[in-house]
Amino acid sequence: MKLFHLLCPFFFLSLVYGTEKPNMIVIMCDDLGYADVGFNGCKDIPTPHIDSIAENGVRCTSGYVAYSVCGPSRAGFITARYPQRFGFERNPQYQPNDPDMGLTRDEKTIAELLRPVGYHSGIIGKWHLGAHIPTSHPMKRGFDEFYGHLGGGHTYFPEKLTIERSQDAKGESESYRTWLLKNYEPVPPRKYITDDFSDEAVAFVTRNRDWPFFLFLSYNAPHTPLEAADKYLGRFPQIKDKKRQTYAAMVSAVDDGVGRVLAELKKYGLEENTIVAFLSDNGGPTTKNASTNAPLRGNKGDAWEGGFRVPFAIQWRGKLPAGSSYENPVSALDLGATIVALAGAAVSKDKPLDGVNLIPFLNGENKSKPHDTIYLRQFDRNRFAVRNGNEKIIIPWKGAAPQLYDLSNDIGEQKDIAKEKPMRVQELDVLRKKWNDNLMEPTFLGLIHTAAWAKRKRK
Ligand code: CA
């Protein structure tokens, strides 16, 4: 019997049961507010394409990220593990000569886990997990392709990108002005970078449509600087507040890009074999970029819900119920864990993922919860948040008594019920301590410690 005849039944079965390895596209915005997408009730910024992900799939009302600022949140997402476990608990400085300033090599990225099972992985946009090219570049961390910037933010207009080589930028603010990298090569600036990233994402899908892929489309919008192309600004004459108008235009540019990527999937008949997730990396910094997290309390950086509960939707045509809403807490850590599970990729026993495969929960097969508890620690501020069921304790600073909120009837965290439920406070605090016992201290000095870092280097 020929090999073809032996393989044929497996091919047929895989068609019948849909066991073909699915693709995944994760579209992550930067500093987008909880309330700034249509599917979470936004009225002044139409986001029809982003909303279509929720309409064709599941809107997760309690979607969390692992940290309330960019770097650690992304370190969690990219490893599917709490970043506090491996010392990534600060925003890294832009230090192209420091190999320790970023994601430790002791951890594996999702792209590294997917590679042995035949996935092609790409990242387009913001990296922010280390600027030391020989050790921290995305292609040193399992990605096959990169188009974007290594630092924590970027200026948007091509004429402002005046530093050719990423490694020549000294510090955070200069890093915003580097040319973008295509893999390892600096590329002469071409256009408004949100549109540039969308072009690259469409091309990525076209190029990789015939094999399993993982695409991390990591828009730096709508992170500051607030800069919008006229094409998008012109859509918002009715918004009088200049900051909000520019922010709206930046979000609108992302929405156009999302629409183009989704159209490309449709064009090649890939919708039923591609999971598409959309989220923000942390809550909106409302005064900086005019975002809004209503009805949540707090902003980017906080342990209040507004810091780390984000817009979160996921579609998988034919596999997840269209237009549904899921209330149990889910996490950005689950996205990588989902594709790792579906791809059949191996995970090291001594570094188990904190995320779980969301599909059985979102399609109703598994009626229990993906997570009993969601955790947050901010080492430098001695802050904690622990959500168990619908109740959450928050320790605002070291030594402070925990406050307790019931999110089922107090989503805005207005009424501290710690005194009414001391036993419940204690239970959640025990969970916190147990989790905390498995964490380590931060391994690098972050952005707010730049002066201390420089002093140490001089010694
Ligand atoms: Ca961010």
Side-chain angles (χ1 to χ4, degrees):
M1 196 183 274
K2 285 183 178 166
L3 185 63
F4 171 77
H5 293 113
L6 279 170
L7 291 175
C8 205
F10 294 105
F11 177 67
F12 180 70
L13 280 175
S14 79
L15 284 179
V16 171
Y17 293 107
T19 50
E20 198 181 345
K21 284 174 182 167
N23 309 310
M24 179 178 257
I25 301 179
V26 175
I27 304 166
M28 185 179 277
C29 274
D30 194 354
D31 290 11
L32 178 71
Y34 184 79
D36 292 324
V37 290
F39 72 76
N40 273 356
C42 182
K43 296 278 184 276
D44 60 346
I45 313 171
T47 53
H49 300 110
I50 294 169
D51 296 349
S52 79
I53 296 172
E55 283 155 17
N56 293 318
V58 187
R59 167 194 174 222
C60 296
T61 57
S62 286
Y64 290 90
V65 288
Y67 205 89
S68 55
V69 300
C70 320
S73 166
R74 287 152 189 274
F77 159 68
I78 212 74
T79 57
R81 282 164 50 80
Y82 276 113
Q84 294 93 340
R85 290 194 192 284
F86 50 88
F88 201 130
E89 209 170 332
R90 293 169 175 150
N91 254 337
Q93 303 167 48
Y94 189 89
Q95 298 295 354
N97 297 317
D98 185 347
D100 300 321
M101 185 65 74
L103 184 63
T104 168
R105 295 199 63 80
D106 293 340
E107 294 290 323
K108 282 202 168 12
T109 67
I110 296 306
E112 282 172 300
L113 296 177
L114 290 173
R115 178 172 273 175
V117 287
Y119 274 70
H120 182 92
S121 298
I123 162 171
I124 295 165
K126 164 167 162 172
W127 174 239
H128 207 194
L129 297 175
H132 182 256
I133 291 174
T135 60
S136 300
H137 186 284
M139 292 169 71
K140 299 288 184 189
R141 306 313 308 265
F143 285 91
D144 301 287
E145 298 185 23
F146 173 52
Y147 183 76
H149 55 90
L150 297 170
H154 225 69
T155 196
Y156 294 83
F157 293 120
E159 60 273 22
K160 291 189 177 180
L161 306 183
T162 51
I163 300 172
E164 187 170 330
R165 288 166 18 113
S166 291
Q167 53 272 52
D168 291 342
K170 291 175 192 68
E172 186 69 8
S173 69
E174 281 195 18
S175 82
Y176 277 45
R177 292 190 284 111
T178 62
W179 288 13
L180 299 174
L181 288 173
K182 174 101 179 163
N183 298 335
Y184 293 101
E185 293 302 315
V187 178
R190 313 194 270 219
K191 54 162 75 172
Y192 184 65
I193 71 169
T194 301
D195 294 343
D196 201 9
F197 293 155
S198 301
D199 289 352
E200 284 292 322
V202 167
F204 179 94
V205 171
T206 313
R207 212 166 42 237
N208 295 295
R209 63 186 186 272
D210 293 330
W211 41 79
F213 66 76
F214 166 56
L215 172 62
F216 178 24
L217 176 49
S218 174
Y219 286 110
N220 63 309
H223 191 292
T224 54
L226 290 178
E227 294 175 344
D230 289 342
K231 174 183 165 190
Y232 302 111
L233 270 176
R235 295 176 182 177
F236 299 95
Q238 73 284 10
I239 301 181
K240 299 302 172 205
D241 178 83
K242 189 70 197 156
K243 242 182 176 179
R244 178 74 180 173
Q245 185 190 47
T246 309
Y247 174 83
M250 293 165 78
V251 174
S252 197
V254 170
D255 190 66
D256 275 25
V258 172
R260 292 178 55 208
V261 173
L262 293 173
E264 199 70 1
L265 289 177
K266 196 170 184 177
K267 181 170 145 189
Y268 292 112
L270 293 173
E271 282 179 307
E272 295 191 348
N273 195 37
T274 307
I275 299 167
V276 182
F278 177 89
L279 76 167
S280 178
D281 69 338
N282 49 251
T286 54
T287 50
K288 271 193 178 163
N289 70 355
S291 51
T292 166
N293 302 312
L296 307 181
R297 179 173 177 177
N299 298 302
K300 173 179 180 177
D302 287 341
W304 301 110
E305 294 290 282
F308 69 125
R309 182 165 167 176
V310 295
F312 199 117
I314 179 166
Q315 80 167 50
W316 191 6
R317 295 292 281 259
K319 300 287 198 309
L320 292 178
S324 59
S325 184
Y326 192 76
E327 310 288 333
N328 290 326
V330 301
S331 166
L333 310 184
D334 299 330
L335 298 172
T338 297
I339 192 63
V340 162
L342 296 170
V347 175
S348 158
K349 277 200 181 64
D350 58 339
K351 299 205 186 249
L353 307 185
D354 287 307
V356 299
N357 177 5
L358 281 181
I359 303 304
F361 297 97
L362 300 183
N363 69 14
E365 255 172 48
N366 189 334
K367 305 285 183 207
S368 66
K369 294 173 179 173
H371 302 277
D372 290 326
T373 313
I374 294 284
Y375 301 94
L376 176 69
R377 180 181 84 172
Q378 298 180 333
F379 182 85
D380 289 324
R381 295 171 187 241
N382 284 297
R383 270 190 199 151
F384 287 91
V386 177
R387 175 176 174 175
N388 178 260
N390 281 321
E391 288 167 321
K392 170 184 173 180
I393 56 166
I394 172 167
I395 299 178
W397 58 85
K398 190 179 184 178
Q403 301 176 13
L404 179 70
Y405 295 91
D406 181 351
L407 299 173
S408 66
N409 57 35
D410 182 18
I411 193 175
E413 298 173 276
Q414 294 299 308
K415 189 172 182 294
D416 176 14
I417 53 170
K419 287 204 170 65
E420 293 157 39
K421 291 189 164 183
M423 291 303 288
R424 194 65 183 124
V425 172
Q426 209 175 3
E427 280 169 22
L428 267 70
D429 206 41
V430 167
L431 291 174
R432 176 185 74 80
K433 285 176 182 152
K434 265 191 193 163
W435 180 69
N436 192 54
D437 283 346
N438 293 310
L439 309 180
M440 63 160 76
E441 293 193 6
T443 56
F444 56 80
L445 290 168
L447 205 49
I448 58 169
H449 307 96
T450 304
W453 176 88
K455 197 172 167 190
R456 192 177 291 182
K457 287 279 163 191
R458 277 198 299 273
K459 275 181 186 166

